[in-house]
Structure formats: structure tokens, C-alpha cells
Amino acid sequence: VFCDDVRRFSFQGKFVCFTGKFLVGTRKQCMADAETLGASVKSSVTSELDVLVVGAVTSRDWRFQNFGRKIERAMSLRMDYGSPTILSERQWVGFLSESGYLTS
């Protein structure tokens, strides 16, 4: 619902933040993967953020959980400034595959 429809994306030189729980591994592993792809990882959603990646493990009450606040902040910034891009875990994994880099 809140993710952008992005077909291609380069993480090189981008500021990336991860939120939620991931099926492909721990958040720490995802952060390391992003750094391998040339991104700088941030722990919070700020106006300099380029990408928020949302883990697939969510509940219907996501708004009331800590990672839901990151999503809300990103959506607000996106409305005001046009970024960050919000990607699903599925999109993230797709971009990892396209880049030839797979998590272990």
C-alpha cells in the first residue's frame, strides 16, 4: 500500500534505512548488503534519506509499532519533498538478485 512501484534502482551513493522484520535475514545482514552495494545506512528516517526498505513481516497493526512510525515519517517526507522512495522487502530482494549479489 505504501511502497513505490520501482522497476530499477541503484543503491550506489544512496542513504538507506531498514525497518521491520525481514524474511531474507536479519536487519543487520540487510544493512551489510546495502553497504556492499554502495549505500550508506541510516538508523532513522530524515529528510536526507533516499530509500526506506520495509521488511515483509508485519501485522495489521503496523501503525502502532515502532517501525510503523518510520513508515509514517517516510510517507510524510515523500509528500512534502518527493523522497524517500519506499521499497518492500520483495523489491529489495529483486534488486539484490539483479545486481548479482545474494544474501547468505
Side-chain angles (χ1 to χ4, degrees), residues 17-32:
C17 181
F18 292 86
T19 191
K21 294 182 181 177
F22 292 81
L23 296 172
V24 295
T26 65
R27 190 181 308 180
K28 190 173 183 176
Q29 288 171 316
C30 292
M31 292 164 63

Side-chain angles (χ1 to χ4, degrees), residues 4 47 49-50 74-86:
D4 294 307
S47 60
L49 190 69
D50 297 301
M75 290 171 62
S76 177
L77 287 169
R78 187 170 61 183
M79 287 177 59
D80 292 342
Y81 303 106
S83 68
T85 299
I86 302 174

Side-chain angles (χ1 to χ4, degrees), residues 13-86:
K14 302 287 197 264
F15 291 111
V16 181
C17 181
F18 292 86
T19 191
K21 294 182 181 177
F22 292 81
L23 296 172
V24 295
T26 65
R27 190 181 308 180
K28 190 173 183 176
Q29 288 171 316
C30 292
M31 292 164 63
D33 293 344
E35 288 174 341
T36 299
L37 294 173
S40 295
V41 177
K42 300 292 183 185
S43 61
S44 61
V45 176
T46 66
S47 60
E48 71 176 356
L49 190 69
D50 297 301
V51 182
L52 176 65
V53 182
V54 180
V57 181
T58 61
S59 74
R60 60 188 172 110
D61 298 323
W62 66 268
R63 284 181 180 244
F64 305 107
Q65 298 174 1
N66 188 39
F67 68 88
R69 300 292 175 218
K70 285 184 179 178
I71 296 167
E72 286 180 337
R73 175 78 174 131
M75 290 171 62
S76 177
L77 287 169
R78 187 170 61 183
M79 287 177 59
D80 292 342
Y81 303 106
S83 68
T85 299
I86 302 174

